[in-house]
Amino acid sequence: MTAKQPRLISVDCVNGQTLMNAARKLGAAHRRDKAGISAWGASGIFDELIVAEPEAGIPSVRTLLLLYAADLAFRLRWEIRPALEEGRLVIAAPYVATAMALGQAAGLEPEWLTDLFYFAPAPSEHHVIQPPARQSVAGEGFVEFAWRRLDTH
């Protein structure tokens, strides 16, 4: 019997519900590999933003992406790398592409975004999920979270 190869699969999407449904389907398809899902917000950083006083102000896209990168570093340290070291399959939902797409849509420099996520290992497999148009920015994913924080209406 051979040891299982650790694998990191990234799943990216602008809709949190669609993203998690896709991640769960992948996990079910890889049940034998004891696949685990690593989702955004694992560090609690974004929970702090939710309860922040109004005086904290509205964060910029750059600030939200810096916080996302910090959260991803936490996920890598405490969830993703340990599971990979055990030879497991990890589904990161979302991973780097979702955050980079948000930054690009907001007009941030591609070089800055590439540098920001330089620390993240390349996945062995990558899935970009297209949600139904009516759900594109509705739900509880990172993009929806950022959208609500940036909405000044």
Side-chain angles (χ1 to χ4, degrees):
M1 184 177 286
T2 59
K4 297 224 186 279
Q5 289 289 351
R7 289 190 308 157
L8 173 61
I9 298 176
S10 67
V11 181
D12 287 286
C13 181
V14 298
N15 176 269
Q17 182 179 355
T18 302
L19 172 77
M20 291 312 295
N21 288 341
R24 284 188 208 92
K25 281 183 185 176
L26 270 172
H30 293 284
R31 190 175 18 252
R32 285 182 296 167
D33 298 325
K34 297 182 181 175
I37 297 172
S38 174
W40 78 282
S43 67
I45 290 172
F46 296 101
D47 296 332
E48 296 296 323
L49 276 180
I50 291 169
V51 298
E53 299 293 329
E55 296 82 40
I58 298 171
S60 67
V61 172
R62 194 176 299 266
T63 297
L64 287 171
L65 290 173
L66 286 166
L67 293 174
Y68 182 87
D71 182 73
L72 181 57
F74 175 91
R75 290 167 55 202
L76 284 164
R77 168 67 177 93
W78 294 104
E79 295 178 355
I80 297 171
R81 285 195 174 109
L84 293 174
E85 288 169 5
E86 292 174 7
R88 295 178 59 201
L89 181 143
V90 179
I91 300 165
Y95 197 53
V96 174
T98 297
M100 290 187 73
L102 176 66
Q104 289 174 348
L108 296 178
E109 307 81 14
E111 298 81 14
W112 185 84
L113 293 164
T114 300
D115 288 347
L116 178 63
F117 293 107
Y118 182 76
F119 67 92
S124 53
E125 196 175 307
H126 181 81
H127 298 263
V128 176
I129 310 300
Q130 296 298 323
R134 68 186 188 293
Q135 294 180 345
S136 59
V137 185
E140 296 302 319
F142 173 68
V143 173
E144 296 93 340
F145 180 89
W147 186 261
R148 284 192 303 273
R149 296 297 165 296
L150 298 171
D151 186 11
T152 58
H153 296 91

